[in-house]
Amino acid sequence: MTITCISPIDGSVYATRESLSRSDADSAVSRAKAAQTAWAARSLKDRIELVQAGVAAVGAMNDEIVPEIAWQMGRPVRYGGEFGGFNERASYMAQIAQDALAPIEVEDSAAFRRVIKRVPHGLVFVVAPWNYPYMTAINTVAPALIAGNAVMLKHASQTPLVGERLAQAFHSVGIPEDVFQNVFLDHQTTSDLIADRAFDFVNFTGSVGGGKAMEAAASGTFTGLGLELGGKDPGYVMEDANLDAAVDTLIDGAMFNSGQCCCGIERIYVHESLFDAFVEKAVAIVSAYKLGNPLDEATTLGPMAHVRFADEVRGQIADAIAAGATAHIDPSSFPEDGGAYLMPQILTNVTHDMRVMREESFGPVVGIMPVKDDAEAIALMNDSDFGLTASLWTQDAERAESIADQIETGTVFMNRADYLDPGLCWTGCKDTGRGGGLSVIGYHNLTRPKSYHLKKA
């Protein structure tokens, strides 16, 4: 099967790759498992240093990587790629590895040594998405390798060059080729490998449908799964919020990367006393965006990664307007709109009966609703099938934490949004999935506890 990347810039074929046959995939798995034993036997210090060197090698490629990202998924080159976040996450996981993976000493006496060690699963399979192709992959790749696992990376068909870049960088610094492998696999071969217990742990970032397919394939194998799936992240602006900061951050969180962010803001609830002012400021910000070719330094909003993604968001917007929503962004300001190029939109007079407020949009659109108090905002924030992040805006930290305790979500922000802190567990609930990446907990998910009960006399 041929894997094809259609560039959203102009609809051309940007890259093609042939997926592995089942026999070649089996061979790759066998080589990875054989190589993992020696990799795990190396000192933790060596593994940390090699992964850090590999990360630096990716940074050295950044001038080539940035336009490649634009061609593959449409992000404007003006934003400089992903290396800042990529490096921050990998560096933090390297920094905490010694402590996070340290044995838990229960007893070491003349009679007994009792200890719990963290040992690698073996072969970790990482299935990464196209929207932030480097940062999402490194969340698992770096700690998995540091913990002593072998890693097989399957990247999205929209971003096939990313895995190749990572393999090139990591191999160039001495990480063995069989320990870190970039592979191209079709869906059926992927499912078959999981069902046949080829992998010891699977980490998937993608759609709810993809997550369900992973769970179905793994059924009965007892293979561990980490799943980060859809999101419909809310923002709540309280009456005491810094209005300018709230508008700037939440609208950027809704529109950056053409709205194609896992933890992007997809719905906003504003206290009725600030509602009109919030909407006015938001419309002014969005109306000033420049939609266009992502290779142009003047472009602030590039195309969506594929025409079908843009068409889905167009459908949500059209349905909402037909049901009574008000669109605030003038189409005449965005003459480039069409195909994968989707103009941004702000909607009011929206309700939770509309798809745009319930289904994941993953595009440059946000619905804004007024609320009268915290209770109404909490009910609306929880009225969702998803639970990744929520963003609260207030000057009262105790109030924010009290509200946070009542929200069904994986992460709660106060006075910020759309940021992944590697020191905190990246996790979700409901249809957003299960498991947790980064932080100490990320290491716990990429290893298993092993108990040693040693009687000395």
Side-chain angles (χ1 to χ4, degrees):
M1 175 182 170
T2 301
I3 293 170
T4 303
C5 169
I6 304 295
S7 175
I9 291 179
D10 58 8
S12 64
V13 175
Y14 182 66
T16 60
R17 298 291 186 272
E18 292 301 315
S19 59
L20 295 179
S21 66
R22 176 59 196 269
S23 62
D24 286 342
D26 286 339
S27 177
V29 168
S30 295
R31 294 196 309 273
K33 290 187 172 183
Q36 185 269 331
T37 303
W39 175 250
R42 298 179 75 150
S43 72
L44 178 57
K45 179 175 180 291
D46 283 351
R47 297 197 302 266
I48 291 170
E49 290 177 350
L50 283 167
V51 169
Q52 289 177 312
V55 168
V58 173
M61 301 175 181
N62 202 52
D63 287 347
E64 301 162 82
I65 285 173
V66 170
E68 286 178 357
I69 292 174
W71 277 105
Q72 290 173 95
M73 55 73 61
R75 187 182 313 125
V77 296
R78 68 179 289 143
Y79 297 118
E82 301 176 24
F83 186 68
F86 177 91
N87 183 53
E88 178 188 25
R89 298 173 189 188
S91 296
Y92 183 82
M93 295 307 284
Q95 174 189 326
I96 68 168
Q98 292 279 0
D99 290 338
L101 296 169
I104 300 171
E105 298 281 354
V106 178
E107 179 183 359
D108 193 5
S109 67
F112 288 99
R113 172 165 163 76
R114 294 185 296 145
V115 63
I116 304 167
K117 295 184 181 181
R118 306 295 319 184
V119 299
H121 288 302
L123 176 56
V124 172
F125 183 46
V126 179
V127 184
W130 49 262
N131 64 318
Y132 282 93
Y134 284 89
M135 289 198 291
T136 53
I138 203 65
N139 290 351
T140 307
V141 169
L145 288 171
I146 288 171
N149 296 285
V151 173
M152 292 183 69
L153 171 64
K154 174 189 179 297
H155 227 295
S157 60
Q158 195 66 41
T159 46
L161 275 61
V162 175
E164 292 179 336
R165 283 285 184 189
L166 291 174
Q168 177 187 353
F170 283 19
H171 298 159
S172 74
V173 301
I175 294 176
E177 292 186 7
D178 290 337
V179 167
F180 178 73
Q181 298 183 50
N182 174 63
V183 294
F184 298 102
L185 299 172
D186 60 37
H187 292 326
Q188 188 60 55
T189 303
T190 299
S191 293
D192 290 346
L193 287 167
I194 294 171
D196 289 343
R197 220 149 94 170
F199 310 111
D200 301 296
F201 187 83
V202 176
N203 192 91
F204 172 76
T205 305
S207 68
V208 174
K212 289 180 178 178
M214 293 285 175
E215 282 203 325
S219 177
T221 67
F222 306 118
T223 301
L225 295 176
L227 303 172
E228 185 204 326
L229 311 175
K232 195 71 183 174
D233 292 4
Y236 171 34
V237 181
M238 298 170 223
E239 71 282 355
D240 66 337
N242 179 325
L243 182 60
D244 287 338
V247 175
D248 288 346
T249 303
L250 290 174
I251 294 303
D252 182 67
M255 301 295 172
F256 187 78
N257 206 36
S258 297
Q260 299 167 134
C261 302
C262 299
C263 56
I265 296 295
E266 297 216 353
R267 50 200 175 106
I268 301 174
Y269 308 103
V270 183
H271 188 271
E272 56 193 10
S273 65
L274 298 180
F275 180 77
D276 290 341
F278 186 99
V279 172
E280 181 181 357
K281 289 175 180 290
V283 170
I285 290 170
V286 173
S287 297
Y289 288 160
K290 168 62 177 171
L291 175 66
N293 189 319
L295 299 173
D296 183 347
E297 287 284 350
T299 295
T300 57
L301 199 69
M304 294 190 68
H306 199 282
V307 173
R308 71 177 183 275
F309 304 149
D311 285 344
E312 169 60 22
V313 181
R314 287 189 179 99
Q316 290 187 12
I317 294 170
D319 288 352
I321 293 171
T326 300
H328 289 264
I329 305 302
D330 187 347
S332 67
S333 300
F334 295 92
E336 306 87 351
D337 182 67
Y341 291 83
L342 177 63
M343 63 168 280
Q345 191 54 268
I346 290 173
L347 300 172
T348 59
N349 296 323
V350 288
T351 72
H352 277 215
D353 293 326
M354 298 173 180
R355 288 200 301 135
V356 76
M357 295 298 284
R358 299 203 65 85
E359 297 178 10
E360 186 172 35
S361 299
F362 220 60
V365 61
V366 66
I368 309 177
M369 295 175 63
V371 293
K372 63 181 181 298
D373 56 25
D374 292 348
E376 183 180 9
I378 292 166
L380 288 167
M381 285 189 282
N382 285 339
D383 183 26
S384 175
D385 292 333
F386 301 102
L388 185 56
T389 80
S391 177
L392 306 179
W393 290 81
T394 177
Q395 302 302 312
D396 186 338
E398 289 186 8
R399 179 183 179 189
E401 189 162 350
S402 174
I403 293 170
D405 288 342
Q406 302 171 68
I407 303 172
E408 298 159 354
T409 192
T411 294
V412 182
F413 298 106
M414 173 182 161
N415 298 337
R416 74 179 313 178
D418 191 25
Y419 171 70
L420 196 159
D421 181 346
L424 298 175
C425 183
W426 190 243
T427 186
C429 60
K430 300 192 279 192
D431 279 0
T432 290
R434 60 188 174 91
L438 299 175
S439 76
V440 171
I441 292 172
Y443 273 118
H444 289 180
N445 285 327
L446 291 167
T447 56
R448 65 180 179 86
K450 184 175 181 179
S451 294
Y452 293 71
H453 193 140
L454 311 178
K455 185 179 180 182
K456 299 179 180 178

mmCIF file of all heavy atoms in Angstrom, residues 242-266:
data_model
loop_
_atom_site.group_PDB
_atom_site.id
_atom_site.type_symbol
_atom_site.label_atom_id
_atom_site.label_comp_id
_atom_site.label_asym_id
_atom_site.label_seq_id
_atom_site.Cartn_x
_atom_site.Cartn_y
_atom_site.Cartn_z
ATOM 1 N N ASN A 242 -9.093 39.497 33.967
ATOM 2 C CA ASN A 242 -8.391 40.478 33.135
ATOM 3 C C ASN A 242 -8.884 40.254 31.713
ATOM 4 O O ASN A 242 -8.485 39.300 31.041
ATOM 5 C CB ASN A 242 -6.882 40.271 33.234
ATOM 6 C CG ASN A 242 -6.093 41.243 32.378
ATOM 7 O OD1 ASN A 242 -6.515 41.621 31.289
ATOM 8 N ND2 ASN A 242 -4.924 41.625 32.861
ATOM 9 N N LEU A 243 -9.761 41.124 31.250
ATOM 10 C CA LEU A 243 -10.473 40.880 30.000
ATOM 11 C C LEU A 243 -9.528 40.808 28.805
ATOM 12 O O LEU A 243 -9.637 39.887 27.977
ATOM 13 C CB LEU A 243 -11.531 41.960 29.768
ATOM 14 C CG LEU A 243 -12.389 41.791 28.506
ATOM 15 C CD1 LEU A 243 -13.159 40.476 28.534
ATOM 16 C CD2 LEU A 243 -13.340 42.976 28.352
ATOM 17 N N ASP A 244 -8.603 41.751 28.698
ATOM 18 C CA ASP A 244 -7.710 41.746 27.543
ATOM 19 C C ASP A 244 -6.869 40.475 27.492
ATOM 20 O O ASP A 244 -6.696 39.864 26.431
ATOM 21 C CB ASP A 244 -6.795 42.976 27.577
ATOM 22 C CG ASP A 244 -7.528 44.264 27.239
ATOM 23 O OD1 ASP A 244 -8.588 44.182 26.584
ATOM 24 O OD2 ASP A 244 -7.058 45.345 27.636
ATOM 25 N N ALA A 245 -6.343 40.070 28.645
ATOM 26 C CA ALA A 245 -5.531 38.846 28.683
ATOM 27 C C ALA A 245 -6.375 37.624 28.335
ATOM 28 O O ALA A 245 -5.919 36.727 27.619
ATOM 29 C CB ALA A 245 -4.902 38.676 30.067
ATOM 30 N N ALA A 246 -7.602 37.590 28.825
ATOM 31 C CA ALA A 246 -8.478 36.458 28.544
ATOM 32 C C ALA A 246 -8.799 36.364 27.060
ATOM 33 O O ALA A 246 -8.736 35.281 26.459
ATOM 34 C CB ALA A 246 -9.764 36.579 29.357
ATOM 35 N N VAL A 247 -9.147 37.493 26.455
ATOM 36 C CA VAL A 247 -9.468 37.477 25.028
ATOM 37 C C VAL A 247 -8.252 37.067 24.208
ATOM 38 O O VAL A 247 -8.331 36.183 23.338
ATOM 39 C CB VAL A 247 -9.976 38.858 24.566
ATOM 40 C CG1 VAL A 247 -10.200 38.855 23.049
ATOM 41 C CG2 VAL A 247 -11.269 39.229 25.267
ATOM 42 N N ASP A 248 -7.118 37.700 24.458
ATOM 43 C CA ASP A 248 -5.906 37.402 23.681
ATOM 44 C C ASP A 248 -5.541 35.923 23.752
ATOM 45 O O ASP A 248 -5.256 35.288 22.738
ATOM 46 C CB ASP A 248 -4.725 38.239 24.200
ATOM 47 C CG ASP A 248 -4.847 39.710 23.847
ATOM 48 O OD1 ASP A 248 -5.682 40.048 22.988
ATOM 49 O OD2 ASP A 248 -4.109 40.520 24.445
ATOM 50 N N THR A 249 -5.552 35.375 24.965
ATOM 51 C CA THR A 249 -5.094 33.990 25.153
ATOM 52 C C THR A 249 -6.112 32.983 24.636
ATOM 53 O O THR A 249 -5.748 32.008 23.950
ATOM 54 C CB THR A 249 -4.801 33.727 26.636
ATOM 55 O OG1 THR A 249 -3.841 34.671 27.098
ATOM 56 C CG2 THR A 249 -4.257 32.318 26.832
ATOM 57 N N LEU A 250 -7.376 33.186 24.946
ATOM 58 C CA LEU A 250 -8.382 32.213 24.532
ATOM 59 C C LEU A 250 -8.584 32.211 23.020
ATOM 60 O O LEU A 250 -8.760 31.139 22.410
ATOM 61 C CB LEU A 250 -9.712 32.482 25.244
ATOM 62 C CG LEU A 250 -9.718 32.171 26.745
ATOM 63 C CD1 LEU A 250 -11.028 32.623 27.373
ATOM 64 C CD2 LEU A 250 -9.485 30.688 27.002
ATOM 65 N N ILE A 251 -8.556 33.374 22.402
ATOM 66 C CA ILE A 251 -8.736 33.409 20.950
ATOM 67 C C ILE A 251 -7.505 32.831 20.244
ATOM 68 O O ILE A 251 -7.630 32.092 19.258
ATOM 69 C CB ILE A 251 -9.041 34.835 20.470
ATOM 70 C CG1 ILE A 251 -10.409 35.264 21.013
ATOM 71 C CG2 ILE A 251 -9.032 34.917 18.944
ATOM 72 C CD1 ILE A 251 -11.570 34.346 20.620
ATOM 73 N N ASP A 252 -6.324 33.125 20.759
ATOM 74 C CA ASP A 252 -5.136 32.474 20.204
ATOM 75 C C ASP A 252 -5.237 30.963 20.383
ATOM 76 O O ASP A 252 -4.905 30.190 19.476
ATOM 77 C CB ASP A 252 -3.880 33.007 20.888
ATOM 78 C CG ASP A 252 -2.609 32.409 20.321
ATOM 79 O OD1 ASP A 252 -2.297 32.690 19.146
ATOM 80 O OD2 ASP A 252 -1.922 31.654 21.043
ATOM 81 N N GLY A 253 -5.714 30.528 21.551
ATOM 82 C CA GLY A 253 -5.879 29.099 21.800
ATOM 83 C C GLY A 253 -6.904 28.454 20.887
ATOM 84 O O GLY A 253 -6.828 27.253 20.610
ATOM 85 N N ALA A 254 -7.860 29.239 20.418
ATOM 86 C CA ALA A 254 -8.878 28.711 19.515
ATOM 87 C C ALA A 254 -8.414 28.685 18.067
ATOM 88 O O ALA A 254 -8.827 27.814 17.295
ATOM 89 C CB ALA A 254 -10.154 29.548 19.624
ATOM 90 N N MET A 255 -7.556 29.623 17.676
ATOM 91 C CA MET A 255 -7.250 29.824 16.260
ATOM 92 C C MET A 255 -5.844 29.410 15.838
ATOM 93 O O MET A 255 -5.616 29.127 14.655
ATOM 94 C CB MET A 255 -7.452 31.306 15.902
ATOM 95 C CG MET A 255 -8.847 31.822 16.156
ATOM 96 S SD MET A 255 -10.077 31.005 15.077
ATOM 97 C CE MET A 255 -11.613 31.630 15.784
ATOM 98 N N PHE A 256 -4.891 29.361 16.787
ATOM 99 C CA PHE A 256 -3.514 29.035 16.394
ATOM 100 C C PHE A 256 -3.446 27.656 15.736
ATOM 101 O O PHE A 256 -4.162 26.736 16.117
ATOM 102 C CB PHE A 256 -2.576 29.081 17.605
ATOM 103 C CG PHE A 256 -1.132 28.930 17.235
ATOM 104 C CD1 PHE A 256 -0.429 29.990 16.701
ATOM 105 C CD2 PHE A 256 -0.493 27.712 17.384
ATOM 106 C CE1 PHE A 256 0.901 29.855 16.325
ATOM 107 C CE2 PHE A 256 0.838 27.557 17.015
ATOM 108 C CZ PHE A 256 1.538 28.632 16.481
ATOM 109 N N ASN A 257 -2.559 27.537 14.755
ATOM 110 C CA ASN A 257 -2.414 26.274 14.019
ATOM 111 C C ASN A 257 -3.716 25.927 13.289
ATOM 112 O O ASN A 257 -4.040 24.764 13.091
ATOM 113 C CB ASN A 257 -2.017 25.136 14.963
ATOM 114 C CG ASN A 257 -1.270 24.021 14.254
ATOM 115 O OD1 ASN A 257 -0.487 24.266 13.343
ATOM 116 N ND2 ASN A 257 -1.510 22.780 14.667
ATOM 117 N N SER A 258 -4.453 26.990 12.890
ATOM 118 C CA SER A 258 -5.762 26.828 12.245
ATOM 119 C C SER A 258 -6.720 26.009 13.111
ATOM 120 O O SER A 258 -7.559 25.271 12.600
ATOM 121 C CB SER A 258 -5.608 26.194 10.852
ATOM 122 O OG SER A 258 -4.852 27.037 10.002
ATOM 123 N N GLY A 259 -6.574 26.159 14.420
ATOM 124 C CA GLY A 259 -7.458 25.460 15.348
ATOM 125 C C GLY A 259 -7.152 23.999 15.528
ATOM 126 O O GLY A 259 -7.893 23.282 16.208
ATOM 127 N N GLN A 260 -6.054 23.537 14.944
ATOM 128 C CA GLN A 260 -5.733 22.107 14.948
ATOM 129 C C GLN A 260 -4.808 21.776 16.120
ATOM 130 O O GLN A 260 -3.679 21.330 15.947
ATOM 131 C CB GLN A 260 -5.102 21.729 13.610
ATOM 132 C CG GLN A 260 -6.052 21.979 12.447
ATOM 133 C CD GLN A 260 -5.381 21.908 11.093
ATOM 134 O OE1 GLN A 260 -5.878 21.282 10.168
ATOM 135 N NE2 GLN A 260 -4.248 22.560 10.939
ATOM 136 N N CYS A 261 -5.299 22.026 17.322
ATOM 137 C CA CYS A 261 -4.545 21.782 18.550
ATOM 138 C C CYS A 261 -5.330 20.814 19.428
ATOM 139 O O CYS A 261 -6.537 21.008 19.631
ATOM 140 C CB CYS A 261 -4.303 23.073 19.323
ATOM 141 S SG CYS A 261 -3.412 24.343 18.406
ATOM 142 N N CYS A 262 -4.643 19.825 19.968
ATOM 143 C CA CYS A 262 -5.316 18.854 20.838
ATOM 144 C C CYS A 262 -6.033 19.560 21.985
ATOM 145 O O CYS A 262 -7.157 19.199 22.341
ATOM 146 C CB CYS A 262 -4.306 17.860 21.404
ATOM 147 S SG CYS A 262 -3.438 16.879 20.158
ATOM 148 N N CYS A 263 -5.351 20.549 22.577
ATOM 149 C CA CYS A 263 -5.929 21.262 23.712
ATOM 150 C C CYS A 263 -6.355 22.670 23.316
ATOM 151 O O CYS A 263 -6.358 23.590 24.141
ATOM 152 C CB CYS A 263 -4.970 21.287 24.888
ATOM 153 S SG CYS A 263 -3.347 21.995 24.514
ATOM 154 N N GLY A 264 -6.700 22.851 22.050
ATOM 155 C CA GLY A 264 -7.196 24.136 21.605
ATOM 156 C C GLY A 264 -8.541 24.460 22.252
ATOM 157 O O GLY A 264 -9.293 23.581 22.653
ATOM 158 N N ILE A 265 -8.841 25.750 22.346
ATOM 159 C CA ILE A 265 -10.115 26.195 22.925
ATOM 160 C C ILE A 265 -11.204 26.087 21.856
ATOM 161 O O ILE A 265 -11.095 26.682 20.789
ATOM 162 C CB ILE A 265 -10.001 27.639 23.435
ATOM 163 C CG1 ILE A 265 -8.987 27.713 24.584
ATOM 164 C CG2 ILE A 265 -11.363 28.168 23.868
ATOM 165 C CD1 ILE A 265 -9.372 26.955 25.825
ATOM 166 N N GLU A 266 -12.262 25.326 22.141
ATOM 167 C CA GLU A 266 -13.317 25.120 21.148
ATOM 168 C C GLU A 266 -14.662 25.720 21.557
ATOM 169 O O GLU A 266 -15.579 25.777 20.745
ATOM 170 C CB GLU A 266 -13.474 23.626 20.851
ATOM 171 C CG GLU A 266 -12.229 23.010 20.232
ATOM 172 C CD GLU A 266 -12.553 21.944 19.201
ATOM 173 O OE1 GLU A 266 -13.728 21.591 19.050
ATOM 174 O OE2 GLU A 266 -11.608 21.468 18.538
#
